[in-house]
Amino acid sequence: MSAHPDPGADARTTGEPLRIAVIASIAHRTPPSGYGPWEQVASMLTEGLVGLGHDVTLFATADSITSARLHAEAPRGYEEDPGVDAKVYEGLHNAAVFERAEEFDVISNQFDFMPLTYSGLVATPLVTTIHGFSSERILPVYRAYDRRGRYVAISDSDRHPDLSYAATIHHGIEVDDFTFRARPDDHLLFLGRIHPDKGTHRAIEVAQRAGLPLVIAGVVHDQDYFRDAVRPQLGRRGITYVGAVGPGERDVLLGGARALLHLIGFDEPFGLSVVEALATGTPVVAFRRGSMPELVRHGRTGFLVDDVDEAVAAVGEIDTLRRRDCRDDVERRFTARRMVADYAELFARVAGREPASVSR
Amino acid sequence: MSAHPDPGADARTTGEPLRIAVIASIAHRTPPSGYGPWEQVASMLTEGLVGLGHDVTLFATADSITSARLHAEAPRGYEEDPGVDAKVYEGLHNAAVFERAEEFDVISNQFDFMPLTYSGLVATPLVTTIHGFSSERILPVYRAYDRRGRYVAISDSDRHPDLSYAATIHHGIEVDDFTFRARPDDHLLFLGRIHPDKGTHRAIEVAQRAGLPLVIAGVVHDQDYFRDAVRPQLGRRGITYVGAVGPGERDVLLGGARALLHLIGFDEPFGLSVVEALATGTPVVAFRRGSMPELVRHGRTGFLVDDVDEAVAAVGEIDTLRRRDCRDDVERRFTARRMVADYAELFARVAGREPASVSR
């Protein structure tokens, strides 16, 4: 034992706690009470980082729930309270983070592109998770901050060729929140936003041709689509719409399904419901596009198909898959623990090697 | 003559050139080719400051025209080019200003509230002209930056009781761009956006009851209103709609009018068209609200009225006013030169006394 311990020794060990700011979306509270995938990921990351012993400040709505320190500018989510002006509070929210930047070793941005535009004004490194591109029209801002953005892709498929990335980090889930079911009920399941992108109408067609009941769950994001393509099908031939579902119902519906039908009409950057289904043992029939080949192991945890005909055939073969394999794959690849560890490693790397320059 | 001149002497004289950044709106180019009052004011201020010998950088769209240095992020105005994402380019535009903040003695914000949210991250003082409040919902951001915002009201009537202000500076116009007309034609004039706020329907009613023709000019900002309240009245009893008008037509229409009818349905923070009408010698009949009592001298350059009946009566008395008095009042109170001088004085004051603190 030395009388003069080296005060820098702890800081050089690998496990040194970092001072981390997490910027959550303020569309909803964190974690979201209903829909809100960005807020869900921000919450999981925040709680996981706290669990690893890091010193975390979560920037989120005032009604958010966290074991980290909470800094709130917006009283509630702008999607949940018409009195909350989205632009005003997005500005105040981002400003609050960067005005406190000196207090943090790294800032994790889970809230789209606007934080990038503040990042050149502070020395603290920003790591930006790109939760998909809503449109090519948002690319100019990602291009402008490519050199200092330290982008995280949420799937390899979502990497844009114009941008450079610090890492791909797949989302994870709390596997213990999902109950493994060795024997499902008889229904197929559609779970997600009711929107053409998510292919609700294709799920209906496949279920009808396969002669199996279909449960549809999720919030309606496109009213015209729901009215024209979904509602006329309800109540006949075993097509049921149960609305938005909470975590408990979600677990029951997922675990009871023979398969999740994920016949998407866009290159989905990640599909949390796909991973959640697998966690309950339910295989997934998905269109072979976007992140699906990264999430579903064809012929083992589901089937990747190219059209409705193939989807119908895949449903016919669904019993050839072992539900235990689905669960095992999630435990191996898609746990919250793995996701948090990936981020923690990236943050340590970024915090340790950052130059002081603040130019773009 | 001293062999050792004091190198600081110039900097202490009143006329020392300042390094000024002007943040224009990027909805349109600066100056606007058509509608665009914020861009119009930004342009006039910029050119005027250059004329006074200041070192000015204008942040505006790439197709803007200025004698200052131009810094552009957006290729064109987001209202004019659907390929320009408003949020993306507003972020890049504001970031560009603040990333260059050290190059300026003062930053003049003519583009709403978002620049405030960057202002705490730099030492350069920001002066924010509040071009009216679109809604009470935007107040939180002005309140948050009240201590460092150095707000400029564009009329005393537009000062919000919750905020503190550095100055009220009325807009000015280039008086020489407007031709004084001692003898008008016979028509009344409505000039402005076709929108219930601007009271197009009231102008029609007043003109009809006064038995005078009415020319309506301006862009349609509310299609339903135009269809229901304006279009059915056109073509009968001397009601004519001429669409949006450029500067030359504007001058002709204004100078030829017996009166401008400005029967607004909101507390308009300033009315450029009111001042422009006066510059051509045309008196204004305006509702007594918002900035109108500051712009129109009742009984001398127009009439302030409270309802349509009073407006009709005022039109009947319009010939009791002297058109030369209207022009004279503009030359006294509403020139671009006066506006620019007011801003230049404020900027010098702000630049000279600024503390280094960057806290909100």
Side-chain angles (χ1 to χ4, degrees):
Chain A
M1 205 167 83
S2 165
H4 298 91
D6 180 353
D10 279 359
R12 280 190 237 109
T13 62
T14 326
E16 172 67 11
L18 294 169
R19 299 168 303 162
I20 303 170
V22 176
I23 313 179
S25 160
I26 54 165
H28 305 279
R29 79 157 159 86
T30 297
S33 50
Y35 179 77
W38 295 8
E39 293 84 352
Q40 186 177 337
V41 170
S43 175
M44 183 169 294
L45 176 60
T46 298
E47 302 311 311
L49 291 168
V50 170
L52 290 179
H54 293 291
D55 177 5
V56 186
T57 303
L58 174 67
F59 290 79
T61 61
D63 57 349
S64 294
I65 299 163
T66 180
S67 58
R69 258 185 297 278
L70 177 66
H71 182 129
E73 296 286 329
R76 291 168 45 101
Y78 60 73
E79 291 287 358
E80 296 169 357
D81 184 341
V84 174
D85 185 281
K87 186 173 179 179
V88 163
Y89 280 101
E90 188 170 348
L92 289 172
H93 178 69
N94 288 326
V97 175
F98 288 91
E99 288 174 5
R100 294 184 55 188
E102 287 180 13
E103 302 173 36
F104 309 115
D105 299 311
V106 62
I107 301 170
S108 169
N109 169 25
Q110 303 291 330
F111 189 27
D112 219 11
F113 57 79
M114 284 301 276
L116 292 167
T117 69
Y118 298 79
S119 65
L121 304 172
V122 302
T124 308
L126 179 71
V127 176
T128 293
T129 300
I130 303 180
H131 290 264
F133 298 94
S134 55
S135 146
E136 284 279 322
R137 301 197 322 154
I138 70 174
L139 267 173
V141 64
Y142 286 110
R143 282 198 202 96
Y145 289 92
D146 190 52
R147 278 182 48 217
R148 53 180 301 116
R150 302 173 200 82
Y151 300 137
V152 175
I154 61 173
S155 63
D156 286 334
S157 71
D158 200 51
R159 286 188 175 222
H160 195 284
D162 288 4
L163 305 181
S164 45
Y165 289 83
T168 292
I169 303 182
H170 284 147
H171 295 331
I173 62 171
E174 293 291 354
V175 183
D176 291 348
D177 291 349
F178 296 87
T179 312
F180 175 69
R181 283 270 302 269
R183 296 189 169 279
D185 303 327
D186 208 33
H187 66 266
L188 300 171
L189 180 65
F190 172 92
L191 178 62
R193 296 176 293 118
I194 312 300
H195 188 281
D197 278 354
K198 294 288 193 171
T200 324
H201 62 295
R202 293 189 201 96
I204 292 170
E205 184 181 348
V206 168
Q208 294 187 340
R209 288 176 51 186
L212 288 172
L214 175 71
V215 175
I216 299 169
V219 294
V220 175
H221 259 215
D222 183 330
Q223 293 291 346
D224 290 348
Y225 175 67
F226 180 73
R227 186 192 61 221
D228 298 339
V230 177
R231 202 164 54 196
Q233 308 295 331
L234 302 182
R236 48 180 186 177
R237 292 174 291 185
I239 312 292
T240 313
Y241 174 57
V242 299
V245 289
E249 299 162 303
R250 196 175 174 95
D251 185 34
V252 169
L253 286 174
L254 285 165
R258 295 188 63 184
L260 180 78
L261 299 181
H262 205 74
L263 309 172
I264 49 180
F266 75 124
D267 292 331
E268 190 170 33
F270 197 86
L272 276 172
S273 60
V274 168
V275 175
E276 292 171 351
L278 296 174
T280 67
T282 296
V284 177
V285 177
F287 271 6
R288 189 194 315 273
R289 61 185 299 180
S291 59
M292 292 303 118
E294 295 172 58
L295 306 187
V296 177
R297 292 193 189 279
H298 181 70
R300 186 165 183 96
T301 67
F303 294 106
L304 298 166
V305 300
D306 289 316
D307 56 36
V308 164
D309 288 344
E310 286 186 26
V312 173
V315 168
E317 295 174 40
I318 208 78
D319 291 340
T320 65
L321 305 177
R322 285 183 300 192
R323 293 179 65 93
R324 174 55 68 181
D325 286 345
C326 298
R327 173 77 174 197
D328 287 350
D329 199 37
V330 174
E331 289 180 345
R332 218 165 17 237
R333 301 199 296 146
F334 296 111
T335 61
R337 176 190 296 266
R338 190 274 310 147
M339 178 187 95
V340 172
D342 286 353
Y343 274 104
E345 186 190 326
L346 174 61
F347 294 159
R349 182 154 56 92
V350 165
R353 67 170 195 196
E354 196 55 29
S357 158
V358 297
S359 65
R360 267 195 210 169
Chain B
M1 202 166 87
S2 165
H4 297 92
D6 179 351
D10 278 359
R12 280 189 237 110
T13 62
T14 326
E16 171 69 9
L18 294 170
R19 299 169 303 161
I20 302 171
V22 175
I23 313 178
S25 160
I26 55 165
H28 306 279
R29 78 158 159 84
T30 297
S33 50
Y35 179 77
W38 296 8
E39 293 84 353
Q40 186 176 337
V41 170
S43 175
M44 182 169 294
L45 176 61
T46 298
E47 303 312 311
L49 290 168
V50 170
L52 290 179
H54 293 291
D55 177 5
V56 186
T57 304
L58 173 67
F59 290 80
T61 61
D63 57 350
S64 294
I65 299 163
T66 181
S67 59
R69 257 185 298 277
L70 177 66
H71 182 129
E73 296 286 329
R76 290 169 43 101
Y78 59 74
E79 291 286 359
E80 296 170 355
D81 184 341
V84 174
D85 185 281
K87 187 173 176 178
V88 162
Y89 279 101
E90 188 171 347
L92 289 171
H93 179 68
N94 288 326
V97 176
F98 288 92
E99 289 174 4
R100 295 184 55 188
E102 287 180 15
E103 302 173 35
F104 309 115
D105 299 311
V106 62
I107 301 170
S108 168
N109 169 26
Q110 302 290 331
F111 189 27
D112 219 12
F113 57 79
M114 284 301 276
L116 293 167
T117 69
Y118 299 79
S119 65
L121 304 172
V122 303
T124 307
L126 178 71
V127 175
T128 292
T129 300
I130 304 180
H131 290 263
F133 298 94
S134 55
S135 145
E136 284 279 321
R137 302 196 322 154
I138 70 173
L139 268 173
V141 65
Y142 286 110
R143 282 199 201 97
Y145 289 92
D146 190 52
R147 277 183 48 216
R148 51 179 304 114
R150 300 172 202 81
Y151 300 138
V152 174
I154 61 173
S155 63
D156 286 334
S157 71
D158 200 51
R159 287 190 175 219
H160 194 285
D162 289 5
L163 305 181
S164 44
Y165 289 83
T168 292
I169 302 181
H170 284 147
H171 294 332
I173 62 172
E174 292 293 354
V175 182
D176 291 347
D177 290 349
F178 296 87
T179 313
F180 175 68
R181 283 270 303 269
R183 295 190 170 277
D185 303 326
D186 207 34
H187 66 267
L188 300 172
L189 179 65
F190 171 94
L191 177 62
R193 297 177 291 120
I194 313 300
H195 188 281
D197 278 354
K198 294 286 194 172
T200 324
H201 61 296
R202 292 190 201 95
I204 292 170
E205 184 181 349
V206 168
Q208 293 188 340
R209 288 177 51 187
L212 288 172
L214 175 72
V215 175
I216 299 170
V219 295
V220 175
H221 259 215
D222 183 329
Q223 294 290 347
D224 291 349
Y225 175 67
F226 180 73
R227 187 192 62 222
D228 298 339
V230 178
R231 202 163 54 197
Q233 308 294 331
L234 302 182
R236 47 179 185 179
R237 291 174 293 184
I239 311 291
T240 313
Y241 174 59
V242 298
V245 289
E249 299 162 303
R250 196 175 174 96
D251 185 35
V252 169
L253 285 175
L254 284 165
R258 295 188 61 186
L260 180 78
L261 299 180
H262 205 74
L263 309 172
I264 49 180
F266 76 124
D267 292 331
E268 189 169 33
F270 197 87
L272 276 172
S273 59
V274 168
V275 176
E276 292 170 351
L278 296 174
T280 66
T282 295
V284 178
V285 176
F287 272 5
R288 188 193 316 274
R289 59 185 302 180
S291 59
M292 291 304 118
E294 295 172 59
L295 306 188
V296 177
R297 292 195 190 278
H298 181 69
R300 186 163 184 97
T301 66
F303 294 105
L304 298 167
V305 299
D306 289 316
D307 55 36
V308 165
D309 288 344
E310 287 186 26
V312 173
V315 169
E317 296 173 38
I318 209 75
D319 290 340
T320 66
L321 306 177
R322 286 183 300 192
R323 292 178 66 92
R324 173 57 66 182
D325 286 345
C326 299
R327 173 79 174 195
D328 287 349
D329 199 37
V330 174
E331 289 180 345
R332 217 164 19 237
R333 301 197 297 144
F334 296 111
T335 60
R337 176 189 297 266
R338 191 273 309 148
M339 179 186 94
V340 173
D342 285 353
Y343 273 105
E345 185 191 327
L346 174 61
F347 295 159
R349 182 155 54 94
V350 165
R353 69 168 194 197
E354 196 56 28
S357 159
V358 296
S359 64
R360 265 195 213 171

